């Protein structure tokens, strides 16, 4: 549910029926720029803050004085990559629904999308364009931790709120904690940060290991930056669940041949491989299934989170388990719970109707980010950065992925989304074949944890 880097599943589903990856937002407006000029702000300044004037410098920007609200979305390859496409389209769908409902006090949202190409320098350039040329009121998106860390200083300088929807590194929230006044404009709407991803794995194992029959596990973690906090938590806490860790390996980020690794897992006698994988996940799951290795498979496997993944790998993901923010069938929230927009399942169905595909987890998060921002702006009646920051800090917004609140200044994870059972509490799902006799015919994402959201019982692979 994180990260980062090159993927080989991205070309077959982009979640964009209309084939439009970007909207550069040529529509002009009145309000903020004239306000900056009238106030004499920014003419002599340098850098991003000078170009923009800085959200913190214009704390009073009444909503009623604006003719549009501009939102910049940073997404990787949004016309090709389902993760980037879901970020873009989740934000667009939220804005469309708000505008169809009359906007915010009559003011419409204008969503613009730019491609980060998963490259830190490109991400900085696109972010700078949003600030200098598009005069945005909010930025959201950013999938890779490397891109987020590359633009974090620019976010601070621009003093324009940013709500992350994808990157998991806790280094960003550590910066907010250590230098609050400088970095307070950054919020992580989702996913839970990489430390909490590790905690979530431990919580899952603590609750479900006996049901799954996993008494011994081999921990396999790909060697990327995003997994370092995950490994730290697993190393410290996993055996507290009563599960015996018989093998623990951070394997090379370039691994494509899993035979040596799987031979060692077999020799260890582990009941299951307990994994954290993104970049290397497709090779890992495909070889596990094709070779029918005598151990089960689950943990965080980013590719398996894609709704179209089962068909992309021709059923190789059958019986694999992964954590996920939500699935199209999981009622993480219901319509009578949400504060604005759709609940989980209606959102997924409306997304499908609009873009001819179901969203990846980033789509749920980006949709929630725009709706939470809109709720705060409407409550504050003000688009200034400081009122928005204060509003987000005080906000408790229930959307598609749970109830979104942020850790405070006294937390190690300032402005990260709160991980808790009654806030954001990811699901664990298993790909189950529709026809066990013909697993290539099709599969579904069935939730197996938490129990109150379960749509099916766990199924042991038939060759075990």
């Amino acid at each position: 549910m994180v990260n980062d880097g090159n993927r080989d599943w991205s070309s077959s589903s982009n979640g964009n029926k209309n084939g439009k990856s970007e909207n550069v937002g040529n529509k002009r407006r009145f309000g903020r720029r004239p306000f900056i000029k009238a106030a004499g702000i920014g003419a002599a300044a340098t850098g991003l803050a000078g170009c923009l004037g800085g959200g913190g410098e214009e704390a009073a920007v009444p909503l009623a004085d604006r003719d549009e609200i501009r939102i910049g979305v940073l997404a990787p390859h949004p016309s090709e990559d389902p993760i980037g496409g879901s970020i873009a389209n989740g934000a667009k769908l939220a804005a469309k629904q708000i505008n169809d409902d009359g906007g915010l006090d009559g003011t419409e949202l204008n969503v613009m999308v730019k491609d980060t190409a998963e490259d830190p320098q490109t991400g900085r350039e696109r972010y700078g364009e949003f600030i200098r040329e598009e005069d945005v009121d909010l930025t959201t998106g950013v999938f890779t931790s490397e891109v987020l860390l590359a633009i974090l200083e620019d976010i601070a300088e621009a003093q324009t709120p940013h709500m992350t929807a994808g990157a998991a590194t806790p280094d960003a929230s550590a910066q907010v904690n250590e230098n609050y006044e400088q970095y307070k404009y950054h919020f992580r709407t989702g996913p839970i940060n990489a430390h909490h991803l590790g905690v979530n794995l431990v919580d899952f194992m603590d609750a479900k290991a006996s049901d799954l029959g996993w008494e011994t596990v081999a921990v396999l973690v790909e060697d990327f930056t995003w997994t370092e906090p995950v490994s730290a938590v697993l190393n410290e806490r996993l055996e507290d669940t009563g599960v015996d860790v018989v093998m623990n390996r951070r394997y090379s980020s370039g691994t494509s041949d899993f035979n040596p690794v799987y031979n060692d897992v077999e020799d260890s006698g582990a009941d299951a491989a307990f994994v954290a994988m993104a970049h290397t996940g497709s090779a890992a799951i495909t070889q596990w299934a094709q070779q029918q290795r005598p151990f089960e498979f689950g943990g965080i496997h980013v590719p398996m989170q894609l709704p179209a993944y089962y068909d992309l790998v021709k059923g190789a993901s059958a019986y694999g388990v992964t954590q996920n923010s939500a699935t199209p069938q999981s009622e993480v929230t219901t319509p009578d719970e949400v504060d604005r927009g759709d609940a989980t399942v209606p959102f997924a169905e409306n997304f499908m109707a609009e873009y001819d595909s179901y969203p990846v987890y980033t789509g749920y998060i980006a949709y929630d980010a725009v709706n939470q921002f809109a709720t705060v702006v409407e409550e504050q009646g003000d688009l200034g950065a400081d009122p928005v920051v204060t509003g987000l800090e005080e906000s408790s917004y229930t959307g598609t992925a749970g109830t979104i609140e942020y850790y405070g200044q006294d937390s190690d994870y300032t402005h990260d989304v709160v991980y808790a059972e009654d806030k954001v509490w990811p699901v664990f799902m298993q790909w189950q074949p529709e026809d066990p006799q013909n697993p290539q015919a099709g599969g579904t994402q069935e939730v197996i944890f938490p129990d109150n959201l379960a749509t099916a019982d766990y199924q042991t692979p038939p060759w075990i």
Side-chain angles (χ1 to χ4, degrees):
M1 90 168 273
V2 285
N3 221 321
D4 304 320
N6 299 321
R7 299 182 299 281
D8 58 3
W9 68 84
S10 63
S11 61
S12 58
S13 175
N14 61 23
N16 190 337
K17 184 169 61 177
N18 299 321
K20 297 177 180 178
S21 63
E22 296 191 5
N23 171 8
V24 296
N26 292 324
K27 180 182 177 183
R28 301 309 304 163
R29 55 153 184 184
F30 300 96
R32 177 148 139 165
R33 183 60 67 188
F35 174 88
I36 294 172
K37 290 180 177 177
I41 296 171
T46 58
L48 292 176
C51 294
L52 177 62
E57 296 174 349
E58 45 176 335
V61 188
L63 177 60
D65 291 352
R66 301 291 299 276
D67 68 351
E68 68 175 3
I69 299 165
R70 299 168 73 83
I71 298 174
V73 177
L74 294 161
H77 310 295
S79 63
E80 302 172 351
D81 184 331
I83 288 180
S86 289
I87 292 175
N89 291 333
K92 288 179 185 177
L93 184 56
K96 179 180 184 298
Q97 291 176 342
I98 292 169
N99 292 340
D100 288 347
D101 198 33
L104 299 181
D105 197 20
T107 305
E108 290 196 348
L109 277 61
N110 179 13
V111 171
M112 298 161 281
V113 179
K114 291 182 183 292
D115 183 1
T116 65
E118 296 192 2
D119 174 69
Q121 183 57 37
T122 302
R124 287 199 70 190
E125 292 170 358
R126 300 292 90 78
Y127 180 80
E129 291 169 4
F130 273 140
I131 298 301
R132 290 189 303 270
E133 301 170 11
E134 306 295 350
D135 199 11
V136 294
D137 301 291
L138 171 78
T139 53
T140 186
V142 181
F143 174 59
T144 63
S145 295
E146 287 80 359
V147 172
L148 175 60
L149 294 176
I151 68 171
L152 197 61
E153 198 69 35
D154 297 332
I155 294 171
E157 188 175 358
Q159 298 179 8
T160 297
H162 173 84
M163 300 172 75
T164 288
T169 174
D171 289 348
S173 49
Q175 291 273 46
V176 184
N177 172 265
E178 294 168 8
N179 299 284
Y180 173 79
E181 285 300 329
Q182 185 175 355
Y183 295 103
K184 65 183 180 183
Y185 306 97
H186 174 262
F187 292 79
R188 187 196 321 277
T189 307
I192 58 176
N193 69 38
H195 167 79
H196 289 126
L197 290 175
V199 175
N200 189 227
L201 285 172
V202 172
D203 288 341
F204 167 73
M205 191 64 82
D206 192 38
K208 297 297 291 185
S210 60
D211 292 344
L212 274 55
W214 294 359
E215 297 179 353
T216 59
V217 297
V219 175
L220 302 180
V221 179
E222 67 179 8
D223 191 13
F224 281 93
T225 300
W226 77 272
T227 63
E228 292 173 358
V230 176
S231 284
V233 174
L234 294 180
N235 294 343
E236 181 181 352
R237 306 186 189 182
L238 185 55
E239 289 199 320
D240 292 343
T241 66
V243 172
D244 188 11
V245 179
V246 295
M247 176 178 164
N248 191 342
R249 180 173 301 176
R250 288 180 65 83
Y251 64 86
S252 170
S253 57
T255 300
S256 58
D257 178 4
F258 279 82
N259 279 294
V261 177
Y262 286 167
N263 289 341
D264 290 344
V265 175
E266 283 195 35
D267 290 343
S268 76
D271 294 321
F274 198 46
V275 308
M277 301 176 171
H279 311 255
T280 58
S282 288
I285 193 73
T286 300
Q287 291 171 33
W288 170 75
Q290 289 178 343
Q291 298 171 10
Q292 297 195 342
R293 292 282 183 165
F295 51 84
E296 297 164 64
F297 190 103
I300 296 175
H301 186 282
V302 176
M304 281 203 288
Q305 297 170 348
L306 276 63
Y309 189 67
Y310 195 93
D311 292 335
L312 293 176
V313 293
K314 298 179 173 57
S317 59
Y319 306 105
V321 171
T322 186
Q323 180 233 53
N324 206 343
S325 292
T327 72
Q329 296 81 29
S330 58
E331 292 188 324
V332 177
T333 59
T334 57
D336 60 347
E337 296 177 295
V338 297
D339 296 319
R340 178 192 290 276
D342 292 327
T344 316
V345 173
F347 163 70
E349 294 301 330
N350 284 330
F351 191 101
M352 166 62 85
E354 190 75 18
Y355 304 112
D356 199 27
S357 68
Y358 284 116
V360 183
Y361 75 93
T362 51
Y364 298 90
I365 296 168
Y367 179 83
D368 286 348
V370 172
N371 275 308
Q372 185 177 31
F373 169 76
T375 300
V376 165
V377 168
E378 194 166 56
E379 291 173 350
Q380 299 283 324
D382 194 325
L383 276 163
D386 286 341
V388 169
V389 167
T390 300
L392 288 172
E393 289 176 337
E394 297 174 347
S395 176
S396 179
Y397 166 77
T398 300
T400 64
T403 295
I404 298 165
E405 298 179 6
Y406 299 100
Y407 289 108
Q409 294 183 47
D410 58 347
S411 168
D412 291 339
Y413 308 111
T414 305
H415 287 185
D416 275 357
V417 65
V418 173
Y419 169 67
E421 288 191 51
D422 61 345
K423 299 296 186 298
V424 171
W425 187 251
V427 302
F428 281 78
M429 44 148 281
Q430 182 182 35
W431 275 109
Q432 296 187 355
E434 295 172 355
D435 178 3
Q437 304 304 315
N438 184 19
Q440 293 186 342
T444 57
Q445 293 178 318
E446 299 292 347
V447 175
I448 60 171
F449 179 79
D451 292 343
N452 65 317
L453 296 178
T455 58
D457 293 330
Y458 173 76
Q459 294 181 4
T460 301
W463 63 85
I464 300 294

